[in-house]
Amino acid sequence: MTPRARIALLVLVLAAGACVSRPRRVQSAPDHGWPAAFSAAQRAVADGRYDAAEQELAAFGRRFEGTPEGDESIFWRALFKMDPANRDARVTEAIPLLDAYLAGPPRPRRPEAEILRRTAETVGALVRAAAEKAAVASATAPRSAADDSARVEELTKLRDELAKTQAELERIKRRLAAPRP
């Protein structure tokens, strides 16, 4: 075989090797385990079992801390805590998770995490403001009809703003749940 033919054969073998994907058994453990863990968490959320989804993702995150998949579990834990259907969680519980996700190196969902972080702060502020208004309203003595209607109008405005924020959060959640190309 001529040197030229040997070089051509070597280039062909290297090119073919570069095109072959790694079999699943050779992939790293996080690569291999993430789809199953995420799928289990999504099924739990679909069934309304947010606590089971939290446990699944938290366990995966502890096992594979510092990996891209471990970081992804942090992102999804935060998102599920912000889901308005999750009656046991508070939006403010998502903030430390989002901070942890954003604290590391650049991540694929960084823009979404930043939006969710700001949304969580806004919703938290609205909830606190509504609670303070309710406390002040209940502490005051007799009120006039005008005062009552002003309070009702303000509470309605806060509820509408909260509903819009929750709708935006749902839209983001649906967009993030859609498969990426």
Side-chain angles (χ1 to χ4, degrees):
M1 187 181 282
T2 68
R4 196 175 216 178
R6 285 183 189 167
I7 291 173
L9 181 61
L10 178 63
V11 168
L12 182 62
V13 167
L14 290 174
C19 293
V20 176
S21 66
R22 296 185 310 173
R24 269 185 96 57
R25 66 184 178 283
V26 181
Q27 290 178 341
S28 69
D31 281 348
H32 185 69
W34 173 243
F38 184 54
S39 181
Q42 284 183 311
R43 280 192 307 276
V45 165
D47 293 340
R49 296 179 300 113
Y50 287 88
D51 56 335
E54 168 68 18
Q55 290 171 2
E56 179 75 33
L57 294 174
F60 185 90
R62 282 190 301 274
R63 271 194 317 269
F64 301 107
E65 187 175 345
T67 66
E69 295 82 1
D71 294 339
E72 190 76 358
S73 73
I74 295 170
F75 175 85
W76 283 98
R77 285 174 61 205
L79 187 64
F80 291 153
K81 288 203 179 282
M82 292 182 69
D83 187 344
N86 186 353
R87 299 292 175 211
D88 296 328
R90 303 285 178 260
V91 172
T92 54
E93 294 174 357
I95 292 174
L97 292 169
L98 292 166
D99 286 343
Y101 182 83
L102 292 168
R107 299 204 166 56
R109 297 189 191 276
R110 184 175 192 83
E112 293 94 337
E114 290 170 343
I115 291 168
L116 290 171
R117 174 75 167 74
R118 290 190 299 271
T119 302
E121 286 178 347
T122 301
V123 170
L126 289 171
V127 168
R128 282 189 302 278
E132 288 171 10
K133 293 251 184 230
V136 167
S138 67
T140 59
R143 297 171 282 207
S144 69
D147 288 343
D148 284 344
S149 67
R151 285 190 178 97
V152 168
E153 184 178 321
E154 188 163 355
L155 283 174
T156 303
K157 183 179 171 184
L158 286 171
R159 283 188 191 121
D160 289 345
E161 193 171 335
L162 181 58
K164 287 178 188 175
T165 303
Q166 288 175 328
E168 177 67 9
L169 179 59
E170 279 298 314
R171 185 190 67 75
I172 291 169
K173 184 179 169 189
R174 283 191 304 275
R175 188 179 110 212
L176 291 174
R180 287 191 162 195

